[in-house]
Amino acid sequence: MHFTEILRFSYPNFHLAPELDLKTMGSVEFETNRWIWDGACYPQLFGLGGIMITIAILWLSTGYLGGIGLPYFPFVWLDLRFFYKKKSRKRPVRVYMDGCFDLMHYGHANALRQAKSLGDELVVGVVSDEEIVANKGPPVLSMEESGLKWVDEVIANAPYAITEEFMNTLFNKYNIDYIIHGDDPCLLPDGTDAYGPAKKAGRYKQIKRTEGVSSTDIVGRILSSLSDMEVNKNHSKAFQSETGGSTRTQRSHFLPTSRRIVQFSNAKGPGPDACVVYIDGAFDLFHAGHVEILRCARQLGDFLLVGVYSDQTVSERRGCHPIMHLHERSLSVLACRYVDEVIIGAPWEVTRDMITTFNISLVVHGTVAEGSCSDEVDPYVTPRSMGIFKTIASPNNITWTSVARRIVDNHEVYKKRNVKKSESENKYYAEKKFVPED
């Protein structure tokens, strides 16, 4: 803190004479010390405090009291360390959040976004399949969180419970400052709190759970729409007999808001000379295959624009409703670190007007297609004719149907798992209280 700041904090109406400019003290010669006496005569300086400040000024800027002249003032000032608090360079705050991240969805992404807001670097622990089986039931599909924009580091095969030993490893090896979890309870099979040690150590922080979605909810949607998808005919009849032949997909309880979209968005557009790459799709049940194809597309340009088909378009091409509705799918895509912008409800056909509007330089499509009809019109006729279309090899053959098939093939197991999980979720909703979100 500068000396003038000390004066101004102590005496708000006090002002030094214009010639006392601390920024130029080292180069300016003063011909008079009259400003000292003018300042001393200010009524605000009367009293013991005023006398002390006046003496200090006299000592520092003149030969009075055996002090040092003003030209040497900067050198003396460097030694007056008691006048200010030296700023030390702080290391980044590192926060840790773990999870099973089974059937990765925008709820997971929003949790990681909130966790990142509580620190500078986010370390994510992905619980192993063995731990998930022991504590929750069989996993459906896991995915490394390195594909999400808020994640800085990943710890694979993390334990389900935060034990004293693992907590010390986080603090000492990974330099973790806080452990983060949602406001929903996380209990071990013996009924104890999985984050008890972190809370006891005072290193625990809580975030708001994203309403309207969970892995349990998504599994329920897939099971309830089993006959529509026709993934496995042998299980389809059995399911129809259990549900009365209903083909209606379990309704999503997610309430989309404009604020949520802004939170997920990069909030920036392409530069005037940027190479804009466009890729479109349904992106239902967002998975590792989607992340990899988006990564490949992003490497072909400077800005990746992703078109997410509307629910109607997906239904017409697939023959059944998407598991996740348009806003849910859009948020999942926006959460991917390789995506710069999303067109919500993109048209099936890529037109010349669309290419001009978004200044698209390259249109790409993967070799693994989901839900396309063989007899339909090619939606990429225009970009092909313009010489800006490119087919890229899909690095992963995972599709929404292969994800659904895993659940169908283990129908009874997942049905039992969902019954158990639904009980805990119903209890959470019955007892939940308002939790503010950033």
Side-chain angles (χ1 to χ4, degrees), residues 50-79:
I51 294 173
M52 293 179 65
I53 291 177
T54 303
I55 293 174
I57 295 174
L58 285 169
W59 178 71
L60 290 171
S61 57
T62 71
Y64 298 108
L65 304 178
I68 300 175
L70 185 60
Y72 302 97
F73 176 77
F75 301 98
V76 176
W77 185 253
L78 293 177
D79 292 329

Side-chain angles (χ1 to χ4, degrees), residues 62 157 279 403:
T62 71
N157 299 319
I279 185 171
V403 174

Side-chain angles (χ1 to χ4, degrees), residues 79-232:
D79 292 329
L80 300 179
R81 298 179 183 179
F82 56 89
F83 277 107
Y84 69 97
K85 183 179 180 180
K86 187 177 181 180
K87 293 183 179 179
S88 59
R89 187 177 181 180
K90 295 181 179 180
R91 71 172 180 83
V93 176
R94 287 168 61 85
V95 295
Y96 172 83
M97 186 173 189
D98 60 10
C100 301
F101 303 108
D102 194 16
L103 274 178
M104 188 66 190
H105 52 72
Y106 66 92
H108 292 138
N110 190 47
L112 297 174
R113 181 192 66 79
Q114 292 182 77
K116 179 63 177 286
S117 70
L118 297 177
D120 302 306
E121 296 176 357
L122 174 60
V123 180
V124 174
V126 181
V127 178
S128 66
D129 290 350
E130 293 76 17
E131 290 273 318
I132 297 175
V133 171
N135 292 277
K136 295 182 66 174
V140 180
L141 181 69
S142 59
M143 181 180 74
E144 284 194 3
E145 310 318 306
S146 55
L148 298 181
K149 61 176 65 174
W150 300 285
V151 179
D152 299 295
E153 187 177 338
V154 174
I155 299 177
N157 299 319
Y160 186 83
I162 303 294
T163 62
E164 292 282 353
E165 180 182 359
F166 183 66
M167 185 174 66
N168 291 329
T169 299
L170 290 176
F171 295 159
N172 300 325
K173 180 179 179 180
Y174 295 98
N175 295 320
I176 298 300
D177 296 290
Y178 297 102
I179 296 173
I180 317 295
H181 187 63
D183 61 319
D184 53 319
C186 184
L187 303 178
L188 299 175
D190 61 2
T192 58
D193 187 351
Y195 295 90
K199 294 178 180 178
K200 185 178 179 181
R203 306 281 285 272
Y204 176 85
K205 287 190 176 184
Q206 181 176 280
I207 59 172
K208 182 181 177 66
R209 172 176 170 167
T210 304
E211 305 291 353
V213 67
S214 66
S215 298
T216 303
D217 168 60
I218 296 174
V219 169
R221 296 190 207 181
I222 294 173
L223 292 176
S224 66
S225 63
L226 184 61
S227 57
D228 277 357
M229 294 187 297
E230 295 183 352
V231 177
N232 191 312

Side-chain angles (χ1 to χ4, degrees), residues 250-261:
Q250 182 173 319
R251 181 178 298 178
S252 168
H253 298 288
F254 173 60
L255 301 176
T257 63
S258 58
R259 182 167 179 263
R260 178 73 74 228
I261 295 176

